[in-house]
Amino acid sequence: MTAPASSLVSSLITRARSRLPGALGTRLLLFLGAAIVLTALLQGLLAYRNALLQTDTLFDYQMQQTAFALRAGLPVDARGRPQGTPPEDENHEFIVQVWTNEGLRIFESALGAALPQMAVLGFADVPARGTVYRVFSLQTRSQVIQVAQDMRVRRTLARDAAWQSLLPIALLAPVLALAVWWVVRSSLAPVQRVRRELATRRPQDLAPVPAEGLPDEVRPLVAELNALLQRVGQAFEAQQHFVADAAHELRSPLAALKLQLVALQRAPDAAAHDEAVQRLSAGIDRATRLVEQLLTLARQEAQGTVQGTAQGVQGMQGQHGAAAAAPADVDLREVVEQALADQAVAAQQHGLDMGLSESPQLRQSFAVAGDAQSLQMLVRNLLDNAVKYVPQGGRVDVGWRSDAQGRALVVEDSGPGIAESERELVLRRFVRGPSAASAASAGQQAQGSGLGLAIVQTIAERHGARLLLDRSPTLGGLRVQVMWPPVSGR
């Protein structure tokens, strides 16, 4: 097929599909109704043709049997038809003639039939009396028997018999169509029930859709819909908690800013004015940092996991043919070096020795599939926490390890650490462990918002990793490990 012809056929198919009704039930009724009509027409045509052939065969058989019945012969001296038969009783539709071998007609059922004397033995179509006769001729020892039937009469009788055979089809086709309509409507009734239920739901109603009575072909769709509703409900609930927590946490910084602004307005001299300005600037920085962390946490929670995103993209490619790139491998060495460069100034200001670990076991980096920006944010938050809570002159090391337990990004410091009983608690939003709070209140560093480790855990989970907090065996402070499963085959 040439390109223009293929394009034309494709265009016609697309146009035909666009004109099809959108309702599944209507489509089924349309296609099944068309199939029933075409099948009935084809069956009727075949039945009509077979009825004609069978009728012809039956009539030929009757003519043949009539001739065989006269084989015994008639008296040689018989002449014509019996006297006294009225002309209106003569039947020219079915004629019987008997001839002697010498050519003398000794019997004819209708006077003046004028059928040829020397007919072909067997069956033949003979024109006579303005029509065509079907003639069967049989020769015996002393006679020739001819049985003839008018083809017009034969065709009329055959058509009547054929039409009688079509009557059951004509009666059953509407019954079959009605049965198909009932089956389609009954089969799609559960789907219509689901549609009506979803149409009448309120926006906040995310309850699962009942799957009872649904066809097996529809159950997977409803199961996926229920799974989606569950995920949406969880996301909606998480956002509600997030908004409530954020509103609660923002009250204190905003109230502090208001008090600092009042103190600035009431400053009695230049020294008090400068001190109030510094406090107000520090308060604005803390509020800004808190808002940035809130937005970061919201953005990370709104994203799907890297693996789920890849699967979703592959599903879309399979359905729509859209091309999309899979998550790229990110070299964690580049991520860590960039994060260390970003935190270098803050580390110097607080007198911290921050850099890559010198331990040979923590020098071999690796790459993971994910988003480089999110992973940089993960490392920056870990380093930012260390800057806040490690005392001046302390040390912060970053490294990697790979063993049978898995692969890990390791950040450890010489700070006060976190007590074992508090490690699960500090992973929650807006929660700061008592140890960190007491250290901060002692004036070691600026207080945090309690969001840093929550952001780290969220990003780690999005990348198929888990967060492990323990005590550093070398520096004595907190050790944070972001752990990925081991590479298969190792």
Side-chain angles (χ1 to χ4, degrees), residues 101-381:
N101 288 333
E102 292 77 17
L104 176 65
R105 180 167 52 216
I106 60 175
F107 176 80
E108 58 180 347
S109 61
L111 186 62
L115 292 180
Q117 175 183 356
M118 302 305 294
V120 178
L121 296 179
F123 287 100
D125 294 334
V126 177
R129 300 179 58 84
T131 183
V132 177
Y133 282 87
R134 177 73 166 170
V135 179
F136 177 74
S137 300
L138 174 66
Q139 186 175 14
T140 65
R141 292 181 179 180
S142 59
Q143 300 171 346
V144 175
I145 303 171
Q146 289 182 329
V147 181
Q149 185 178 30
D150 192 344
M151 291 296 293
R152 290 180 301 184
V153 177
R154 173 184 283 225
R155 292 193 185 98
T156 301
L157 295 175
R159 280 195 298 267
D160 290 343
W163 282 116
Q164 290 295 327
S165 68
L166 294 181
L167 184 60
I169 299 175
L171 293 178
L172 291 178
V175 176
L176 180 59
L178 184 63
V180 168
W181 174 83
W182 181 81
V183 170
V184 170
R185 290 294 299 270
S186 301
S187 301
L188 294 180
V191 181
Q192 293 296 328
R193 171 180 58 80
V194 173
R195 182 192 64 81
R196 287 192 299 268
E197 182 179 346
L198 292 176
T200 56
R201 279 194 178 188
R202 295 175 297 175
Q204 62 270 26
D205 186 3
L206 299 176
V209 178
E212 292 78 8
L214 289 175
D216 293 340
E217 292 79 6
V218 183
R219 283 179 180 270
L221 176 62
V222 175
E224 293 298 328
L225 176 61
N226 287 335
L228 174 61
L229 290 175
Q230 183 180 6
R231 292 194 295 269
V232 171
Q234 293 173 351
F236 186 65
E237 184 179 359
Q239 287 299 319
Q240 284 182 323
H241 290 312
F242 175 81
V243 171
D245 294 341
H248 178 269
E249 291 298 321
L250 283 173
R251 288 194 188 101
S252 298
L254 293 178
L257 289 177
K258 186 175 182 180
L259 292 175
Q260 290 162 0
L261 179 60
V262 173
L264 176 62
Q265 293 172 343
R266 297 178 180 179
D269 51 30
H273 182 274
D274 292 342
E275 183 180 358
V277 169
Q278 291 179 359
R279 290 181 178 177
L280 180 60
S281 177
I284 292 174
D285 290 340
R286 286 194 296 272
T288 301
R289 176 63 177 166
L290 175 59
V291 172
E292 289 177 350
Q293 287 186 318
L294 287 172
L295 294 176
T296 298
L297 184 59
R299 183 167 55 252
Q300 291 299 323
E301 289 185 340
Q303 295 174 353
T305 62
V306 173
Q307 182 178 2
T309 303
Q311 292 176 352
V313 170
Q314 291 174 1
M316 292 179 63
Q317 288 178 354
Q319 295 175 5
H320 306 291
D329 286 343
V330 180
D331 189 352
L332 290 185
R333 177 177 292 276
E334 297 179 0
V335 170
V336 169
E337 290 176 349
Q338 181 62 47
L340 288 173
D342 293 341
Q343 293 290 333
V345 175
Q348 290 177 2
Q349 289 177 353
H350 293 87
L352 300 179
D353 179 12
M354 180 180 290
L356 296 177
S357 176
E358 298 178 356
S359 173
Q361 291 83 7
L362 300 178
R363 299 288 293 178
Q364 186 65 36
S365 67
F366 55 88
V368 295
D371 178 61
Q373 225 173 12
S374 297
L375 292 172
Q376 286 180 2
M377 189 178 302
L378 180 148
V379 179
R380 280 201 304 268
N381 275 276

Side-chain angles (χ1 to χ4, degrees), residues 26 89 110 155 406:
T26 306
D89 290 343
R155 292 193 185 98

